[in-house]
Short mmCIF file of all heavy atoms in Angstrom, two decimals:
data_model
loop_
_atom_site.label_atom_id
_atom_site.label_comp_id
_atom_site.label_asym_id
_atom_site.label_seq_id
_atom_site.Cartn_x
_atom_site.Cartn_y
_atom_site.Cartn_z
N VAL A 497 125.49 42.28 86.54
CA VAL A 497 125.28 41.87 87.85
C VAL A 497 126.51 42.11 88.80
O VAL A 497 126.40 42.47 89.94
CB VAL A 497 124.84 40.33 87.92
CG1 VAL A 497 124.77 39.81 89.42
CG2 VAL A 497 123.51 40.15 87.24
N LYS A 498 127.69 41.87 88.21
CA LYS A 498 128.91 42.08 88.97
C LYS A 498 129.01 43.57 89.45
O LYS A 498 129.49 43.78 90.56
CB LYS A 498 130.18 41.80 88.21
CG LYS A 498 130.36 40.25 88.05
CD LYS A 498 131.70 39.97 87.32
CE LYS A 498 131.97 38.53 87.32
NZ LYS A 498 133.27 38.24 86.62
N VAL A 499 128.60 44.48 88.59
CA VAL A 499 128.61 45.89 88.88
C VAL A 499 127.67 46.20 90.03
O VAL A 499 128.03 46.86 91.05
CB VAL A 499 128.28 46.78 87.70
CG1 VAL A 499 128.14 48.28 88.08
CG2 VAL A 499 129.35 46.55 86.68
N ILE A 500 126.53 45.63 90.03
CA ILE A 500 125.43 45.77 91.06
C ILE A 500 126.03 45.23 92.36
O ILE A 500 125.99 45.86 93.45
CB ILE A 500 124.14 45.00 90.70
CG1 ILE A 500 123.53 45.75 89.59
CG2 ILE A 500 123.26 44.99 91.91
CD1 ILE A 500 122.36 44.93 88.98
N GLN A 501 126.64 44.09 92.34
CA GLN A 501 127.23 43.48 93.50
C GLN A 501 128.37 44.37 94.13
O GLN A 501 128.49 44.53 95.28
CB GLN A 501 127.74 42.07 93.17
CG GLN A 501 126.59 41.08 92.91
CD GLN A 501 127.04 39.77 92.41
OE1 GLN A 501 128.01 39.71 91.64
NE2 GLN A 501 126.31 38.75 92.69
N TYR A 502 129.24 44.83 93.17
CA TYR A 502 130.33 45.71 93.58
C TYR A 502 129.73 46.97 94.30
O TYR A 502 130.19 47.43 95.39
CB TYR A 502 131.16 46.10 92.44
CG TYR A 502 132.22 47.17 92.72
CD1 TYR A 502 133.40 46.84 93.38
CD2 TYR A 502 131.99 48.45 92.53
CE1 TYR A 502 134.35 47.71 93.72
CE2 TYR A 502 132.97 49.46 92.80
CZ TYR A 502 134.09 49.05 93.43
OH TYR A 502 135.00 50.00 93.74
N LEU A 503 128.72 47.63 93.70
CA LEU A 503 128.18 48.83 94.31
C LEU A 503 127.43 48.45 95.56
O LEU A 503 127.51 49.34 96.49
CB LEU A 503 127.19 49.41 93.27
CG LEU A 503 127.80 50.01 92.01
CD1 LEU A 503 126.73 50.41 91.00
CD2 LEU A 503 128.59 51.25 92.31
N LEU A 504 126.84 47.35 95.75
CA LEU A 504 126.12 47.04 96.99
C LEU A 504 127.28 46.85 98.08
O LEU A 504 127.11 47.29 99.22
CB LEU A 504 125.40 45.73 96.80
CG LEU A 504 124.10 45.83 96.10
CD1 LEU A 504 123.48 44.50 95.72
CD2 LEU A 504 123.06 46.63 96.91
N ARG A 505 128.33 46.23 97.66
CA ARG A 505 129.51 46.07 98.69
C ARG A 505 129.96 47.46 99.04
O ARG A 505 130.34 47.70 100.29
CB ARG A 505 130.59 45.21 98.08
CG ARG A 505 130.26 43.83 97.98
CD ARG A 505 131.40 42.95 97.43
NE ARG A 505 132.57 43.04 98.31
CZ ARG A 505 132.73 42.31 99.47
NH1 ARG A 505 131.82 41.50 99.80
NH2 ARG A 505 133.84 42.44 100.22
N GLN A 506 130.03 48.41 98.16
CA GLN A 506 130.49 49.77 98.47
C GLN A 506 129.51 50.41 99.45
O GLN A 506 129.88 51.40 100.17
CB GLN A 506 130.68 50.60 97.13
CG GLN A 506 131.79 50.15 96.27
CD GLN A 506 133.06 50.17 96.98
OE1 GLN A 506 133.59 51.19 97.42
NE2 GLN A 506 133.79 48.99 96.98
N GLN A 507 128.24 50.04 99.40
CA GLN A 507 127.23 50.57 100.26
C GLN A 507 127.24 49.91 101.59
O GLN A 507 126.41 50.29 102.47
CB GLN A 507 125.83 50.42 99.61
CG GLN A 507 125.70 51.37 98.39
CD GLN A 507 125.86 52.83 98.69
OE1 GLN A 507 125.48 53.26 99.67
NE2 GLN A 507 126.45 53.54 97.71
N GLY A 508 128.18 48.96 101.85
CA GLY A 508 128.23 48.34 103.13
C GLY A 508 127.63 46.92 103.20
O GLY A 508 127.62 46.30 104.27
N TYR A 509 127.11 46.38 102.10
CA TYR A 509 126.55 45.07 102.11
C TYR A 509 127.66 44.08 101.78
O TYR A 509 127.65 43.49 100.71
CB TYR A 509 125.36 44.98 101.11
CG TYR A 509 124.25 45.92 101.46
CD1 TYR A 509 124.17 47.19 100.78
CD2 TYR A 509 123.32 45.68 102.39
CE1 TYR A 509 123.14 48.17 101.16
CE2 TYR A 509 122.32 46.57 102.74
CZ TYR A 509 122.26 47.84 102.10
OH TYR A 509 121.28 48.70 102.43
N THR A 510 128.66 43.91 102.69
CA THR A 510 129.83 43.23 102.38
C THR A 510 129.58 41.67 102.32
O THR A 510 130.54 40.96 101.90
CB THR A 510 130.90 43.53 103.52
OG1 THR A 510 130.30 43.17 104.87
CG2 THR A 510 131.32 44.92 103.48
N TYR A 511 128.39 41.22 102.75
CA TYR A 511 128.17 39.78 102.61
C TYR A 511 127.88 39.39 101.15
O TYR A 511 127.69 38.18 100.86
CB TYR A 511 126.96 39.38 103.54
CG TYR A 511 125.71 40.09 103.32
CD1 TYR A 511 124.76 39.76 102.39
CD2 TYR A 511 125.40 41.27 104.01
CE1 TYR A 511 123.58 40.40 102.13
CE2 TYR A 511 124.21 41.98 103.86
CZ TYR A 511 123.34 41.51 102.90
OH TYR A 511 122.14 42.19 102.69
N VAL A 512 127.72 40.42 100.26
CA VAL A 512 127.46 40.09 98.87
C VAL A 512 128.81 39.76 98.12
O VAL A 512 129.71 40.59 98.19
CB VAL A 512 126.79 41.30 98.13
CG1 VAL A 512 126.66 41.05 96.68
CG2 VAL A 512 125.42 41.59 98.77
N ALA A 513 128.87 38.63 97.56
CA ALA A 513 130.09 38.30 96.81
C ALA A 513 129.90 38.67 95.39
O ALA A 513 128.77 38.69 94.80
CB ALA A 513 130.30 36.77 96.86
N VAL A 514 130.98 39.19 94.78
CA VAL A 514 130.98 39.52 93.40
C VAL A 514 131.20 38.36 92.57
O VAL A 514 132.30 37.96 92.24
CB VAL A 514 132.07 40.76 93.05
CG1 VAL A 514 131.98 41.15 91.66
CG2 VAL A 514 131.81 41.96 94.04
N THR A 515 130.14 37.75 92.14
CA THR A 515 130.16 36.47 91.40
C THR A 515 129.55 36.58 90.01
O THR A 515 129.87 35.72 89.11
CB THR A 515 129.40 35.37 92.15
OG1 THR A 515 128.00 35.77 92.14
CG2 THR A 515 129.89 35.11 93.49
N GLY A 516 128.75 37.59 89.77
CA GLY A 516 128.10 37.75 88.53
C GLY A 516 126.77 36.98 88.48
O GLY A 516 126.08 36.99 87.43
N LYS A 517 126.44 36.29 89.53
CA LYS A 517 125.08 35.62 89.62
C LYS A 517 124.17 36.34 90.62
O LYS A 517 124.71 36.68 91.75
CB LYS A 517 125.39 34.14 90.07
CG LYS A 517 126.16 33.38 89.18
CD LYS A 517 126.32 31.93 89.53
CE LYS A 517 127.13 31.17 88.57
NZ LYS A 517 127.36 29.80 88.96
N PHE A 518 122.98 36.57 90.19
CA PHE A 518 122.10 37.19 91.16
C PHE A 518 121.51 36.25 92.10
O PHE A 518 120.45 35.64 91.89
CB PHE A 518 120.85 37.90 90.33
CG PHE A 518 120.19 38.99 91.01
CD1 PHE A 518 120.54 40.25 90.87
CD2 PHE A 518 119.18 38.68 91.87
CE1 PHE A 518 119.93 41.35 91.54
CE2 PHE A 518 118.43 39.64 92.58
CZ PHE A 518 118.84 40.96 92.41
N ASP A 519 122.35 36.06 93.10
CA ASP A 519 121.97 34.97 94.19
C ASP A 519 121.10 35.52 95.33
O ASP A 519 120.71 36.69 95.28
CB ASP A 519 123.31 34.32 94.68
CG ASP A 519 124.21 35.35 95.24
OD1 ASP A 519 123.81 36.46 95.59
OD2 ASP A 519 125.39 34.98 95.56
N ALA A 520 120.87 34.67 96.22
CA ALA A 520 120.02 35.09 97.47
C ALA A 520 120.59 36.25 98.26
O ALA A 520 119.93 37.22 98.64
CB ALA A 520 119.85 33.85 98.36
N ASN A 521 121.92 36.30 98.37
CA ASN A 521 122.56 37.43 99.11
C ASN A 521 122.40 38.72 98.35
O ASN A 521 122.20 39.76 98.92
CB ASN A 521 124.04 37.15 99.40
CG ASN A 521 124.23 36.16 100.59
OD1 ASN A 521 123.32 35.96 101.38
ND2 ASN A 521 125.35 35.58 100.60
N THR A 522 122.56 38.65 97.08
CA THR A 522 122.44 39.84 96.22
C THR A 522 120.94 40.36 96.28
O THR A 522 120.76 41.57 96.47
CB THR A 522 122.73 39.56 94.77
OG1 THR A 522 124.10 39.04 94.73
CG2 THR A 522 122.68 40.83 93.86
N ASP A 523 120.03 39.40 96.20
CA ASP A 523 118.63 39.72 96.26
C ASP A 523 118.30 40.42 97.57
O ASP A 523 117.68 41.45 97.66
CB ASP A 523 117.75 38.56 96.00
CG ASP A 523 116.20 38.86 96.12
OD1 ASP A 523 115.85 39.60 95.25
OD2 ASP A 523 115.58 38.36 97.01
N GLN A 524 118.80 39.79 98.67
CA GLN A 524 118.53 40.35 99.99
C GLN A 524 119.17 41.80 100.16
O GLN A 524 118.50 42.66 100.75
CB GLN A 524 119.25 39.46 101.10
CG GLN A 524 119.02 39.88 102.51
CD GLN A 524 119.71 39.04 103.51
OE1 GLN A 524 120.35 38.10 103.15
NE2 GLN A 524 119.55 39.39 104.77
N ALA A 525 120.33 42.03 99.64
CA ALA A 525 120.99 43.29 99.75
C ALA A 525 120.26 44.31 98.96
O ALA A 525 120.11 45.50 99.35
CB ALA A 525 122.50 43.23 99.27
N VAL A 526 119.82 43.96 97.75
CA VAL A 526 119.05 44.94 96.91
C VAL A 526 117.78 45.31 97.60
O VAL A 526 117.47 46.50 97.71
CB VAL A 526 118.71 44.26 95.48
CG1 VAL A 526 117.66 45.09 94.80
CG2 VAL A 526 119.95 44.14 94.70
N ARG A 527 117.05 44.37 98.16
CA ARG A 527 115.85 44.69 98.93
C ARG A 527 116.08 45.59 100.16
O ARG A 527 115.38 46.52 100.42
CB ARG A 527 115.09 43.39 99.33
CG ARG A 527 114.58 42.64 98.18
CD ARG A 527 114.09 41.24 98.56
NE ARG A 527 113.65 40.41 97.45
CZ ARG A 527 112.37 40.38 96.97
NH1 ARG A 527 111.46 41.10 97.64
NH2 ARG A 527 112.15 39.66 95.95
N ALA A 528 117.21 45.25 100.85
CA ALA A 528 117.55 46.07 102.03
C ALA A 528 117.86 47.50 101.62
O ALA A 528 117.54 48.45 102.20
CB ALA A 528 118.77 45.45 102.74
N PHE A 529 118.66 47.63 100.45
CA PHE A 529 119.04 48.96 100.02
C PHE A 529 117.81 49.72 99.55
O PHE A 529 117.60 50.88 99.84
CB PHE A 529 119.93 48.77 98.78
CG PHE A 529 120.37 50.09 98.18
CD1 PHE A 529 121.35 50.79 98.82
CD2 PHE A 529 119.92 50.52 96.94
CE1 PHE A 529 121.80 51.99 98.21
CE2 PHE A 529 120.31 51.70 96.35
CZ PHE A 529 121.31 52.48 97.04
N GLN A 530 116.85 49.09 98.93
CA GLN A 530 115.55 49.71 98.45
C GLN A 530 114.80 50.17 99.67
O GLN A 530 114.22 51.29 99.69
CB GLN A 530 114.78 48.76 97.57
CG GLN A 530 115.38 48.45 96.23
CD GLN A 530 114.73 47.41 95.47
OE1 GLN A 530 114.16 46.46 96.03
NE2 GLN A 530 114.70 47.46 94.21
N THR A 531 114.69 49.28 100.66
CA THR A 531 113.98 49.66 101.94
C THR A 531 114.65 50.83 102.63
O THR A 531 113.96 51.76 103.04
CB THR A 531 113.84 48.49 102.83
OG1 THR A 531 113.20 47.43 102.09
CG2 THR A 531 113.13 48.73 104.07
N LYS A 532 115.99 50.76 102.72
CA LYS A 532 116.65 51.81 103.44
C LYS A 532 116.44 53.19 102.79
O LYS A 532 116.36 54.17 103.61
CB LYS A 532 118.25 51.47 103.38
CG LYS A 532 119.10 52.54 104.00
CD LYS A 532 120.57 52.10 103.88
CE LYS A 532 121.57 53.12 104.26
NZ LYS A 532 122.95 52.75 104.00
N LEU A 533 116.44 53.28 101.55
CA LEU A 533 116.27 54.59 100.81
C LEU A 533 114.82 54.86 100.46
O LEU A 533 114.49 55.80 99.83
CB LEU A 533 117.10 54.63 99.62
CG LEU A 533 118.66 54.58 99.88
CD1 LEU A 533 119.43 54.71 98.60
CD2 LEU A 533 118.99 55.75 100.86
N ALA A 534 113.90 54.02 100.92
CA ALA A 534 112.47 54.17 100.65
C ALA A 534 112.22 54.21 99.11
O ALA A 534 111.37 54.96 98.64
CB ALA A 534 111.84 55.31 101.35
N ILE A 535 112.92 53.36 98.38
CA ILE A 535 112.73 53.30 96.94
C ILE A 535 111.54 52.37 96.70
O ILE A 535 111.47 51.26 97.26
CB ILE A 535 113.99 52.75 96.25
CG1 ILE A 535 115.18 53.63 96.48
CG2 ILE A 535 113.69 52.56 94.71
CD1 ILE A 535 116.56 53.00 96.06
N THR A 536 110.58 52.78 95.89
CA THR A 536 109.53 51.96 95.49
C THR A 536 109.62 51.53 94.06
O THR A 536 109.09 52.11 93.17
CB THR A 536 108.18 52.71 95.76
OG1 THR A 536 108.20 53.33 97.00
CG2 THR A 536 106.95 51.87 95.60
N PRO A 537 110.30 50.39 93.95
CA PRO A 537 110.42 49.83 92.57
C PRO A 537 109.20 49.21 91.99
O PRO A 537 108.31 48.91 92.83
CB PRO A 537 111.59 48.85 92.61
CG PRO A 537 111.44 48.37 94.06
CD PRO A 537 111.00 49.54 94.84
N VAL A 538 109.10 48.89 90.74
CA VAL A 538 107.91 48.21 90.23
C VAL A 538 107.99 46.78 90.78
O VAL A 538 106.91 46.31 91.20
CB VAL A 538 108.02 48.15 88.65
CG1 VAL A 538 106.90 47.27 88.09
CG2 VAL A 538 107.93 49.55 88.09
N VAL A 539 109.15 46.18 90.93
CA VAL A 539 109.25 44.87 91.52
C VAL A 539 110.35 44.92 92.47
O VAL A 539 111.47 45.29 92.20
CB VAL A 539 109.62 43.81 90.42
CG1 VAL A 539 109.84 42.44 91.02
CG2 VAL A 539 108.64 43.73 89.31
N MET A 540 109.95 44.65 93.76
CA MET A 540 110.99 44.73 94.88
C MET A 540 112.07 43.72 94.58
O MET A 540 111.85 42.53 94.16
CB MET A 540 110.28 44.38 96.13
CG MET A 540 111.14 44.62 97.36
SD MET A 540 111.54 46.32 97.58
CE MET A 540 111.82 46.46 99.32
N GLY A 541 113.30 44.09 94.77
CA GLY A 541 114.40 43.22 94.55
C GLY A 541 114.98 43.29 93.12
O GLY A 541 115.98 42.68 92.81
N GLN A 542 114.30 44.09 92.27
CA GLN A 542 114.80 44.19 90.93
C GLN A 542 115.61 45.47 90.73
O GLN A 542 115.29 46.51 91.27
CB GLN A 542 113.53 44.21 90.01
CG GLN A 542 113.93 44.26 88.53
CD GLN A 542 112.69 44.26 87.65
OE1 GLN A 542 111.83 45.28 87.68
NE2 GLN A 542 112.43 43.30 86.89
N VAL A 543 116.65 45.32 89.92
CA VAL A 543 117.46 46.48 89.57
C VAL A 543 117.38 46.61 88.04
O VAL A 543 117.83 45.60 87.37
CB VAL A 543 118.88 46.40 90.09
CG1 VAL A 543 119.69 47.48 89.68
CG2 VAL A 543 118.96 46.18 91.54
N ALA A 544 117.04 47.63 87.57
CA ALA A 544 117.04 47.84 86.05
C ALA A 544 117.42 49.32 85.71
O ALA A 544 117.23 50.25 86.45
CB ALA A 544 115.67 47.56 85.55
N GLN A 545 118.02 49.52 84.58
CA GLN A 545 118.47 50.73 84.14
C GLN A 545 117.31 51.40 83.23
O GLN A 545 117.47 51.65 82.07
CB GLN A 545 119.71 50.68 83.33
CG GLN A 545 120.86 50.21 84.13
CD GLN A 545 122.15 50.18 83.27
OE1 GLN A 545 122.33 50.93 82.31
NE2 GLN A 545 122.99 49.23 83.57
N ASN A 546 116.17 51.69 83.91
CA ASN A 546 115.12 52.35 83.12
C ASN A 546 114.39 53.29 84.07
O ASN A 546 114.68 53.42 85.23
CB ASN A 546 114.16 51.30 82.63
CG ASN A 546 113.46 50.42 83.77
OD1 ASN A 546 113.03 51.03 84.72
ND2 ASN A 546 113.35 49.20 83.60
N SER A 547 113.45 54.05 83.50
CA SER A 547 112.80 55.06 84.29
C SER A 547 111.81 54.61 85.27
O SER A 547 111.37 55.45 86.11
CB SER A 547 112.14 56.07 83.27
OG SER A 547 111.21 55.46 82.53
N THR A 548 111.35 53.43 85.25
CA THR A 548 110.38 52.97 86.21
C THR A 548 110.95 52.30 87.43
O THR A 548 110.26 52.07 88.43
CB THR A 548 109.44 51.88 85.56
OG1 THR A 548 110.22 50.79 85.15
CG2 THR A 548 108.67 52.49 84.34
N ASN A 549 112.29 52.14 87.45
CA ASN A 549 112.94 51.53 88.61
C ASN A 549 114.17 52.37 88.88
O ASN A 549 115.09 52.34 88.17
CB ASN A 549 113.34 50.09 88.31
CG ASN A 549 113.96 49.41 89.47
OD1 ASN A 549 114.63 50.02 90.29
ND2 ASN A 549 113.83 48.12 89.59
N HIS A 550 114.14 53.13 90.00
CA HIS A 550 115.22 54.01 90.29
C HIS A 550 116.39 53.42 91.12
O HIS A 550 117.26 54.18 91.52
CB HIS A 550 114.67 55.35 91.00
CG HIS A 550 113.65 56.01 90.14
ND1 HIS A 550 114.03 56.70 89.09
CD2 HIS A 550 112.30 56.04 90.18
CE1 HIS A 550 112.85 57.24 88.49
NE2 HIS A 550 111.90 56.79 89.10
N THR A 551 116.37 52.21 91.38
CA THR A 551 117.36 51.49 92.22
C THR A 551 118.67 51.72 91.62
O THR A 551 119.59 52.02 92.35
CB THR A 551 117.00 50.00 92.47
OG1 THR A 551 115.70 49.91 93.02
CG2 THR A 551 118.01 49.33 93.35
N TRP A 552 118.80 51.48 90.34
CA TRP A 552 120.13 51.62 89.65
C TRP A 552 120.62 53.01 89.85
O TRP A 552 121.85 53.22 90.25
CB TRP A 552 120.02 51.29 88.16
CG TRP A 552 121.21 51.54 87.44
CD1 TRP A 552 121.56 52.57 86.60
CD2 TRP A 552 122.43 50.71 87.45
NE1 TRP A 552 122.81 52.50 86.13
CE2 TRP A 552 123.34 51.32 86.61
CE3 TRP A 552 122.72 49.53 88.05
CZ2 TRP A 552 124.64 50.81 86.38
CZ3 TRP A 552 123.98 48.94 87.81
CH2 TRP A 552 124.94 49.59 86.95
N GLN A 553 119.82 54.03 89.60
CA GLN A 553 120.28 55.40 89.72
C GLN A 553 120.79 55.71 91.14
O GLN A 553 121.74 56.36 91.41
CB GLN A 553 119.11 56.42 89.38
CG GLN A 553 118.87 56.45 87.88
CD GLN A 553 117.87 55.34 87.42
OE1 GLN A 553 117.54 54.43 88.14
NE2 GLN A 553 117.40 55.52 86.24
N TYR A 554 120.02 55.18 92.15
CA TYR A 554 120.43 55.39 93.53
C TYR A 554 121.75 54.67 93.88
O TYR A 554 122.58 55.20 94.57
CB TYR A 554 119.37 54.93 94.59
CG TYR A 554 118.28 55.88 94.70
CD1 TYR A 554 117.01 55.60 94.19
CD2 TYR A 554 118.43 57.09 95.41
CE1 TYR A 554 115.95 56.55 94.34
CE2 TYR A 554 117.41 58.02 95.62
CZ TYR A 554 116.11 57.73 94.99
OH TYR A 554 115.15 58.63 95.23
N LEU A 555 122.00 53.52 93.29
CA LEU A 555 123.18 52.72 93.55
C LEU A 555 124.40 53.52 93.11
O LEU A 555 125.47 53.55 93.74
CB LEU A 555 123.14 51.38 92.92
CG LEU A 555 122.60 50.17 93.84
CD1 LEU A 555 122.47 48.93 92.89
CD2 LEU A 555 123.44 49.99 94.96
N VAL A 556 124.23 54.05 91.86
CA VAL A 556 125.40 54.71 91.27
C VAL A 556 125.59 56.17 91.81
O VAL A 556 126.66 56.72 91.59
CB VAL A 556 125.34 54.72 89.74
CG1 VAL A 556 125.46 53.27 89.21
CG2 VAL A 556 124.18 55.42 89.25
N GLN A 557 124.63 56.78 92.44
CA GLN A 557 124.71 58.10 92.92
C GLN A 557 124.90 58.26 94.43
O GLN A 557 125.44 59.30 94.87
CB GLN A 557 123.45 58.94 92.49
CG GLN A 557 123.36 59.12 91.00
CD GLN A 557 122.16 59.83 90.60
OE1 GLN A 557 121.35 60.30 91.50
NE2 GLN A 557 121.93 59.91 89.32
N VAL A 558 124.42 57.28 95.20
CA VAL A 558 124.54 57.42 96.69
C VAL A 558 126.01 57.32 97.08
O VAL A 558 126.68 56.34 96.63
CB VAL A 558 123.69 56.37 97.36
CG1 VAL A 558 123.86 56.40 98.87
CG2 VAL A 558 122.17 56.60 96.97
N PRO A 559 126.50 58.18 97.95
CA PRO A 559 127.92 58.14 98.33
C PRO A 559 128.08 56.76 99.15
O PRO A 559 127.18 56.20 99.71
CB PRO A 559 128.05 59.26 99.39
CG PRO A 559 126.96 60.19 99.00
CD PRO A 559 125.79 59.36 98.47
N GLN A 560 129.35 56.27 99.10
CA GLN A 560 129.66 55.03 99.81
C GLN A 560 129.16 55.11 101.27
O GLN A 560 129.33 56.12 101.88
CB GLN A 560 131.11 54.81 99.70
CG GLN A 560 131.67 54.41 98.36
CD GLN A 560 133.15 54.16 98.40
OE1 GLN A 560 133.80 54.30 99.42
NE2 GLN A 560 133.66 53.77 97.24
N GLY A 561 128.58 54.00 101.71
CA GLY A 561 128.08 53.83 103.02
C GLY A 561 126.69 54.48 103.29
O GLY A 561 126.21 54.46 104.38
N GLY A 562 126.07 54.90 102.16
CA GLY A 562 124.68 55.37 102.24
C GLY A 562 124.71 56.70 102.85
O GLY A 562 123.81 57.33 103.20
#
């Protein structure tokens, strides 16, 4: 979770604190990131390292600032 939060902060979601807890701000930022890139995950707000949810791949590949 800390890595996800760090990557979200790198994407400009600076209101996300790197705490290691998937809190409301993290959830909101993940959903905003998914919407921004038109990612259609199996479950909105979910980040997983598998082939059915591409949010993780986009987080680690998208240049800083989207």
Side-chain angles (χ1 to χ4, degrees):
V497 174
K498 284 184 176 182
V499 173
I500 293 167
Q501 291 169 327
Y502 173 79
L503 292 170
L504 287 167
R505 289 183 60 81
Q506 294 300 304
Q507 293 300 324
Y509 302 96
T510 56
Y511 57 87
V512 174
V514 181
T515 63
K517 296 180 182 180
F518 201 94
D519 58 14
N521 283 342
T522 303
D523 182 64
Q524 179 183 3
V526 167
R527 290 171 187 266
F529 182 77
Q530 290 170 329
T531 299
K532 176 181 172 183
L533 294 182
I535 300 169
T536 308
V538 175
V539 178
M540 189 66 156
Q542 184 181 61
V543 178
Q545 294 182 31
N546 62 45
S547 60
T548 60
N549 182 329
H550 300 285
T551 303
W552 175 259
Q553 288 88 346
Y554 281 106
L555 268 174
V556 297
Q557 292 177 6
V558 173
Q560 291 182 354

